[in-house]
Amino acid sequence: MSKSNSPLARPLTLPNGALLPNRLVKSAMSEGMATMDNRVTPALVRLYERWARGGTGLLITGNVMIDRRALGEPGNVALEDDRDMPLLRQWAEAATGNGAAIWMQLNHPGRQSPKGLNRENVAPSAVPFGKDLQAMFAPPRALRGDEIEDIIRRFATGAQLCREAGFTGVQIHGAHGYLVSQFLSPLTNQRTDQWGGNAENRRRFVLRVLAAMRERVGSDFPIGIKLNSADFQRGGFEESESLDVIAALADAGIDLIEISGGTYEAPAMAGLRASTRAREAYFLSFAEKVRKRVSTPLLVTGGFRTLPAMREALESGALDLIGLARPLAIEPDASRRLIAGEETRFKVKPIKTGIGMVDRAGLMEVMWYSRQLKRMGRGEEPRPNESALVSLACNLAGNVRGTVQTRRLRA
C-alpha cells in the first residue's frame, strides 16, 4: 500500500475545525527533563523537534504539572505563569515548524507522588496506597473546597498559557491514577460533598476543569482528555461509569478522547487477557462501545506494534487515531516508516529487572523509557537494548538526587 493510500496518512479534521496531518499520535510519556525548579529546558525542544521530523502527526507532551507544590516526579515541568514563555514558544515551534501538531498534557498528581518530593500530597480523600506501595507514596490529605477551586483555575491558566505559547491544543490527564482519575474513582474519592458520593458528583471535577479551560481558550482551541476505560481495581472506576463520563464530556464539547487504563497499583497489562494482548490494541473493544455512545474523535493508545493491526483498527471505524508511545521512544522515525508501509525496525519488549516489587508496579516501563527520551534530548540516539538493571540504578540515583535538590530549592 502506498503512502497516499495508507489509512495512517489521512488527515483528520476535529469537530472544531483543527487539522491533524495524519492518524499517528505520540502519546504522553513522562520526560523528567525540566530543571530542578521545574523550568522548561532546551532538551525538551530538541526532543520534540526530533519526533516532529519523524513524521508523527500529533505530539502530546509528557505530563506538565499545574502546581509547583504538587509534582509527580523530579524533573516535571510546572506551568503556573509566563516565566518560561520564550522556551515554551521554542518547544511549540519545534513541532509545528516541522509539520506536526503539539498538545500539552496538563496534570496534577494528587496522592500519586513519591514520598519526600512534595511537602504534602493531597487528594479527594485521605486514602493511602495499598501495602505494596506505601513505602513509596505518603498518605495524602483530603482537599478542602477552596483548594479544589484553585486547582480548577490552575488547569485553566495552564491551557491559556499553552495557547499563548503556540501549542495547538491541550490534553487533560484523567487516567493512570492521577488527580482527575482519583476524583472519578469511588475507591479514592470517598467525599460526601458536591465533589463525591454518587457518580454524577465524582465527575463534577473533570467537567468543571473542561469548562474553565474552554472559557479561557475559546471554542477553536482543541481540548482533549486521556481517560481510563477502567482502573482494574475491585470497587474502582469501571467501564460502565467510564462510558457515562465520556458521554458527559462529549456533551460538554470535548474535542478528542484518548482511551487508556490502569493505575500505579494496577497497571493496565495486569488487567488484560492474553487474547487482548495478542490483538495489540488493548482498549479497542472498549473503543467500540464508546463509538456507539458518542461521535467525538477517539484515540486509542496501548499495545499497537504492527502495521496490519493499526490499519485494521482504523478501517474498522472504532477509532480515529493510533497512539504510540514506547515505539517512538526507541525509534523516533517509526511513524514515517509506518506511513510508508514499512514495519518498525525495533520491537517493544517488557522491561524486567527480576525484582518483584519493581516489576509488579510497572515502574521500569516509565524509568527505562524516560532514559531513552533524555538521550534524544541531548541530541543522541536511543538505546533499544539497554539493560533494565542499569536503567533502574541510574534512575534511582537520579530520583534521589532530584528529590533532595527539589526540596532544597523550596527550603
Side-chain angles (χ1 to χ4, degrees), residues 116-308:
L117 181 60
N118 302 318
R119 289 180 176 170
E120 64 174 352
N121 290 344
V122 294
S125 302
V127 178
F129 276 83
K131 62 181 181 179
D132 283 353
L133 294 179
Q134 284 181 6
M136 301 173 65
F137 298 97
R141 172 179 65 77
L143 286 160
R144 301 188 308 269
D146 62 305
E147 292 174 316
I148 294 172
E149 296 289 351
D150 177 65
I151 290 170
I152 292 168
R153 286 191 293 270
R154 286 173 176 272
F155 270 105
T157 296
Q160 181 179 347
L161 290 166
C162 285
R163 176 160 195 159
E164 291 173 2
F167 286 80
T168 58
V170 292
Q171 183 188 63
I172 302 164
H173 198 338
H176 301 170
Y178 292 107
L179 184 67
V180 172
S181 180
Q182 291 163 34
F183 267 99
L184 291 170
S185 171
L187 280 181
T188 48
N189 183 352
Q190 299 176 6
R191 302 178 72 97
T192 57
D193 60 5
Q194 64 174 322
W195 305 106
N198 60 40
E200 182 178 358
N201 281 354
R202 290 199 308 275
R203 61 177 174 260
R204 187 186 306 276
F205 178 75
V206 68
L207 291 171
R208 284 283 308 279
V209 167
L210 173 58
M213 284 182 163
R214 185 64 75 199
E215 186 176 352
R216 296 280 194 96
V217 300
S219 61
D220 61 338
F221 187 73
I223 302 173
I225 189 167
K226 187 169 193 167
L227 192 71
N228 277 357
S229 60
D231 58 23
F232 306 125
Q233 291 177 277
R234 186 182 300 275
F237 188 64
E238 298 180 347
E239 279 196 3
S240 59
E241 189 169 339
S242 183
L243 286 168
D244 290 341
V245 173
I246 287 170
L249 288 164
D251 288 343
I254 200 82
D255 295 302
L256 178 65
I257 297 166
E258 179 179 6
I259 296 167
S260 190
T263 69
Y264 279 22
E265 290 181 288
M269 285 296 290
L272 301 176
R273 298 176 180 175
S275 58
T276 302
R277 294 189 184 98
R279 195 182 185 189
E280 292 194 25
Y282 300 158
F283 307 106
L284 186 56
S285 295
F286 182 71
E288 292 165 349
K289 298 174 186 177
V290 173
R291 181 60 85 206
K292 294 176 182 178
R293 291 281 298 268
V294 305
S295 60
T296 305
L298 300 179
L299 160 63
V300 174
T301 299
F304 284 111
R305 299 291 180 261
T306 64
L307 190 54

Side-chain angles (χ1 to χ4, degrees), residues 28-43:
M29 290 179 278
S30 180
E31 307 99 354
M33 289 162 57
T35 64
M36 285 302 99
D37 57 348
N38 314 111
R39 307 286 295 272
V40 181
T41 62

